[in-house]
Amino acid sequence: MEYSVGQVSGFAGITVRTLHHYDKTGLLSPSARSPAGYRRYDDADLARLQQILFYRQLGFGLDEIAAILRDPQADALDHLRARHRLLNEQITELRRLVEVAERAMEVQRTGVELTPEERFEVFGEVAFDLSYATEAHLKWQHSEGHRRSMARAAAHTKEDWARLMAEAGEWRHRLLTAFDAGAAADGDQAMDLAEEHRLHVTRWFTPCPTDMHCRIAEDFAADPRAFALVVPPSQQRPGLAAYLRTAVLANAVRQAPGVPPALPEQS
């Protein structure tokens, strides 16, 4: 079988001009010509083109491809190993750039317009996990509570954030003290701490009724990234997230006796 340059262009998804260039450089010259002088490609030509396009997709230059095809057994593996290393380096760099972009997005979403030095000074170890923040935004972006919370966050000054984090830090210290002392998760001390956290959310971000607080606590217990927003990993203890969840649920029952706390639906 022989194929015209137009047919090969359609098969391969490349332009006729590209095929002409490959012919001119000697990378892929057709095996035959028609009586009128038009290029005609056979199956062997198409197999060579397939190799060329494979290497092009990996980012090889035409000169490199020509060298590989001249002596594929000697050069192909070394070239592929080198390309593999380069691609992994590019992947690492792209991941870093994705993180930079997500960090910039999160700054815009929260409205925390602080310098890196100010952010470290205010937040210390407590920081947004970018993947969690992005997922949370996508999940709750149509929620009135989420929009209100983001708007309140955007309005906070550096001094507001400093007071907020100091208040959270003092609460966290008392939570850890209660947990380490073995205070019951559904006892008065733990429930009082849960209520303080609910009021903290209301004071600084958005009204937080008990059903909403229960959903937040479920997230703390289910996702370490969420719990890291209230207790940095360096201060966490095994079972602490579940302890806080139990305290929040018990407090919800205490706040509305006889009304079971609303929990998220199980998927």
Side-chain angles (χ1 to χ4, degrees):
M1 289 290 293
E2 290 186 347
Y3 308 92
S4 70
V5 68
Q7 288 175 310
V8 174
S9 171
F11 295 156
I14 58 176
T15 65
V16 170
R17 182 177 179 180
T18 296
L19 289 168
H20 287 176
H21 180 67
Y22 288 172
D23 184 10
K24 182 178 179 181
T25 60
L27 185 61
L28 176 64
S29 296
S31 298
R33 296 267 179 173
S34 71
Y38 294 110
R39 296 171 174 85
R40 306 295 296 180
Y41 297 83
D42 63 16
D43 290 340
D45 296 329
L46 294 183
R48 183 179 175 91
L49 177 59
Q50 190 174 36
Q51 288 181 291
I52 292 168
L53 296 179
F54 167 73
Y55 288 117
R56 286 296 287 159
Q57 190 171 23
L58 291 177
F60 285 94
L62 296 183
D63 290 341
E64 292 177 288
I65 296 173
I68 293 171
L69 295 181
R70 277 196 298 270
D71 191 1
Q73 295 303 317
D75 296 328
L77 186 57
D78 288 342
H79 280 282
L80 287 170
R81 282 172 175 161
R83 184 60 52 177
H84 183 267
R85 288 193 297 270
L86 178 60
L87 288 172
N88 276 319
E89 291 170 1
Q90 292 173 337
I91 288 169
T92 298
E93 176 62 12
L94 287 172
R95 284 174 175 160
R96 187 190 68 81
L97 292 175
V98 167
E99 182 175 344
V100 169
E102 288 178 342
R103 191 177 299 276
M105 289 162 55
E106 189 54 34
V107 168
Q108 292 300 316
R109 287 174 183 156
T110 60
V112 184
E113 297 181 358
L114 305 177
T115 67
E117 293 79 10
E118 288 174 328
R119 290 176 70 88
F120 183 79
E121 176 188 342
V122 169
F123 293 105
E125 289 185 80
V126 178
F128 291 103
D129 181 293
L130 297 174
S131 62
Y132 174 76
T134 301
E135 289 172 16
H137 176 75
L138 293 174
K139 180 179 180 181
W140 301 109
Q141 60 183 320
H142 301 301
S143 160
E144 179 60 32
H146 179 76
R147 288 194 293 268
R148 186 185 296 115
S149 179
M150 291 298 97
R152 287 283 304 279
H156 290 339
T157 65
K158 176 186 174 182
E159 291 71 25
D160 290 332
W161 283 108
R163 287 194 296 271
L164 182 164
M165 294 305 295
E167 181 181 295
E170 193 274 334
W171 171 85
R172 183 166 57 248
H173 172 74
R174 288 187 289 111
L175 173 69
L176 293 173
T177 299
F179 180 80
D180 291 341
D186 56 355
D188 288 340
Q189 184 179 7
M191 287 192 290
D192 289 346
L193 287 164
E195 178 65 8
E196 283 187 46
H197 180 265
R198 187 180 73 83
L199 296 176
H200 172 87
V201 174
T202 296
R203 182 161 50 254
W204 291 105
F205 296 103
T206 185
C208 184
T210 56
D211 60 338
M212 177 179 175
H213 199 215
C214 289
R215 290 194 293 271
I216 292 173
E218 289 288 338
D219 209 15
F220 288 163
D223 194 329
R225 300 171 302 172
F227 191 52
L229 295 175
V230 292
V231 181
S234 65
Q235 298 180 36
Q236 292 179 14
R237 280 82 155 146
L240 181 60
Y243 179 87
L244 179 57
R245 172 188 178 276
T246 299
V248 168
L249 298 183
N251 181 61
V253 173
R254 181 176 66 168
Q255 296 297 320
V259 179
L263 300 179
E265 294 182 0
Q266 298 298 313
S267 56

